[in-house]
Amino acid sequence: PNKAAIQAGFDAWKAGTGSPYDLLADDASWTIVGRSAASKSYPSKEAFMSEVIRPFNARMKVGLKPTIRNMYAEGDTVIVFFDASGTARDGKPYANTYAWFLDLRDGKIVKAFAFFDSVVFNEFWDRLKP
């Protein structure tokens, strides 16, 4: 059921009708690993959405669309390996590859660790302001 819930979230994201973030518990922690401008642990859904996702989307003309390469599930953990691309407000493409490690409880994401190319992200993040 966890894998199916994440798949449905990605399908909604690709269709423009929702996203996997809809599955975040209010007290979910989301950690962006590495050395990107956004790398740190966010202690709640609202902190993550307000500090990363909304400012990211404000920099986009055409939002990200994901393409899953593979998805793995073991117990309460789902790992999603995917590419996502869109168009920034300045007309330049944004494309990155991600690996998300998602822990679910009762159908909600309660903990996440995200990996992506920090160089690509930082260039985009620094080039445009929300």
Side-chain angles (χ1 to χ4, degrees):
N2 289 334
K3 187 176 179 183
I6 298 300
Q7 180 68 60
F10 270 79
D11 291 346
W13 186 10
K14 193 166 193 168
T17 59
S19 81
Y21 306 125
D22 298 337
L23 298 173
L24 283 171
D26 289 341
D27 62 348
S29 69
W30 191 287
T31 300
I32 297 175
V33 179
R35 298 176 189 259
S36 80
S39 291
K40 71 175 193 175
S41 290
Y42 299 86
S44 67
K45 175 180 181 175
E46 182 52 34
F48 176 62
M49 297 301 290
S50 67
E51 294 179 48
V52 180
I53 299 306
R54 288 187 206 114
F56 186 97
N57 290 341
R59 289 169 164 88
M60 299 297 289
K61 179 191 286 186
V62 178
L64 291 182
K65 297 288 184 210
T67 301
I68 295 175
R69 292 191 192 195
N70 217 326
M71 188 181 308
Y72 309 88
E74 180 74 30
D76 292 329
T77 301
V78 177
I79 302 168
V80 189
F81 177 41
F82 68 99
D83 300 308
S85 61
T87 305
R89 273 196 345 255
D90 61 6
K92 293 182 181 180
Y94 175 87
N96 212 328
T97 299
Y98 300 82
W100 287 357
F101 292 71
L102 308 170
D103 291 343
L104 287 88
R105 184 177 61 239
D106 300 324
K108 291 288 198 176
I109 299 167
V110 294
K111 188 187 312 182
F113 291 91
F115 297 81
F116 53 81
D117 186 331
S118 294
V119 173
V120 170
F121 178 89
N122 286 349
E123 190 279 327
F124 162 79
W125 195 259
D126 293 340
R127 189 177 79 240
L128 298 162
K129 297 301 173 206

